Amino acid sequence: MDEQTITLRTNDGINLHVYRWAPDDQPKAAVQVHHGLAEHAGRYRRLAEALTAAGYLVYAPDQRASGRSAAGDYGNWGPDGWAGWVDDYALLNARIRADNPQLDVALIGHSMGSFGAQQYLLEHSAEVASVVLIGTGDVVDLVPLLTAEGPADLSAFNASFEHRTGFEWLSRDEAEVDKYVADEASGWSAPLPADLKSLLHAAEPAALEGIREDLPILLLSGDRDPVGGDLGEGVERTAARYREAGLRDVIVKLYPEARHEVLNEINRDEVTADVVDFLDRTVGYPQQ
């Protein structure tokens, strides 16, 4: 796997730092990966190794307020706030397609990255060939929690788990939780932008009708993930909205006992294989 970085200038003047991971041979498709809140794209290098080994070209930004793009000021959303977070998906997608006009582009979003993807798709579904939403859920449940006054308080997500670090809700793998806690670019807290409430549009039937009906969507979650609701109820509601809007290829897979970061769970090899299989079916051409 060849690793490079590029920088994109956002519409409101932020330097967005992007990893570009390339396979050794000619790629069969490109994959755009967006991380979640209070983390960064470097945590997805293991996923990129699996995707490049399967023949995919991967782009993953440190999103605004996060990682190297934050320049040490974690949680600074910039002048455009949440709208900027969503606009950055289109900015990167345009760069990927300009650099690789022969390739289809798949979109993967985890957690807050998946919620950004839900809103992005309302107007940009023609720009991607398939979508994977990981650690996702129902925006109707999430937005009131995250738009309360003060910094985003995620501690409630740990209420039903043992309290060793406060982040046990992320994974059953203690080593992965400890890596997250030790990472200064992860786990920060900050007020979220006021315009995050616009994410509620992603639950409106009229808005969802703008998504093209032939777009394949895979939703992956642990059934103990508090973001997805009790036994994945929020994930299922989100999938049902897509189906009701006419989308014909919407799949939900819930992993028993798994928590929020299924890509860092004890069954992560299974999850990664499911992602690769879905990409091979929807955008890739498996080697014969």
Side-chain angles (χ1 to χ4, degrees):
M1 179 178 77
D2 176 63
E3 179 177 309
Q4 300 179 17
T5 58
I6 62 174
T7 303
L8 300 180
R9 189 76 167 175
T10 68
N11 295 328
D12 56 347
I14 296 171
N15 288 322
L16 204 67
H17 292 266
V18 183
Y19 291 98
R20 180 185 183 275
W21 290 298
D24 295 332
D25 298 321
Q26 182 68 25
K28 52 192 179 184
V31 183
Q32 178 176 346
V33 179
H34 288 262
H35 65 73
L37 179 67
E39 58 160 346
H40 55 92
R43 300 185 71 232
Y44 291 76
R45 187 174 279 104
R46 181 168 57 206
L47 174 65
E49 289 173 348
L51 294 179
T52 56
Y56 293 98
L57 173 64
V58 182
Y59 289 77
D62 280 343
Q63 297 179 189
R64 61 176 56 221
S66 311
R68 299 162 301 165
S69 300
D73 191 8
Y74 302 119
N76 183 348
W77 293 82
D80 287 354
W82 175 253
W85 174 282
V86 178
D87 287 345
D88 295 344
Y89 287 58
L91 181 71
L92 177 56
N93 183 274
R95 173 62 182 268
I96 295 171
R97 291 186 291 119
D99 289 351
N100 311 276
Q102 77 284 11
L103 298 180
D104 286 336
V105 181
L107 175 63
I108 297 177
H110 167 70
S111 194
M112 190 65 88
S114 79
F115 291 107
Q118 288 189 39
Q119 188 162 346
Y120 166 80
L121 290 175
L122 299 179
E123 297 183 358
H124 299 279
S125 64
E127 297 169 3
V128 292
S130 66
V131 178
V132 183
L133 303 177
I134 305 175
T136 197
D138 188 346
V139 299
V140 175
D141 295 334
L142 183 81
V143 170
L145 174 66
L146 294 183
T147 55
E149 290 188 9
D153 183 8
L154 305 182
S155 62
F157 288 148
N158 214 59
S160 62
F161 301 103
E162 69 280 10
H163 188 92
R164 185 177 62 87
T165 68
F167 292 97
E168 281 60 51
W169 63 280
L170 295 179
S171 175
R172 291 168 291 178
D173 188 329
E174 292 188 358
E176 291 295 327
V177 172
D178 289 343
K179 283 196 296 184
Y180 179 89
V181 172
D183 184 352
E184 66 176 15
S186 297
W188 45 265
S189 62
L192 296 182
D195 64 334
L196 180 62
K197 293 179 181 179
S198 68
L199 176 56
L200 288 171
H201 293 319
E204 295 174 357
L208 288 165
E209 289 177 359
I211 301 176
R212 58 187 180 87
E213 295 181 355
D214 63 342
L215 180 66
I217 300 182
L218 173 66
L219 300 92
L220 302 178
S221 177
D223 73 359
R224 294 289 311 282
D225 180 1
V227 174
D230 187 34
L231 297 177
E233 289 180 352
V235 184
E236 295 284 10
R237 284 196 300 273
T238 300
R241 287 195 189 104
Y242 287 130
R243 296 184 186 115
E244 290 165 4
L247 276 71
R248 300 187 295 270
D249 188 357
V250 179
I251 299 170
V252 173
K253 183 160 187 181
L254 301 175
Y255 301 97
E257 299 301 317
R259 302 179 187 181
H260 183 55
E261 291 192 345
V262 289
L263 291 170
N264 293 323
E265 260 287 7
I266 59 175
N267 64 319
R268 53 183 168 262
D269 291 344
E270 174 192 10
V271 177
T272 301
D274 287 340
V275 172
V276 171
D277 287 347
F278 177 76
L279 294 177
D280 282 346
R281 178 174 70 81
T282 58
V283 296
Y285 302 94
Q287 297 295 318
Q288 300 298 321

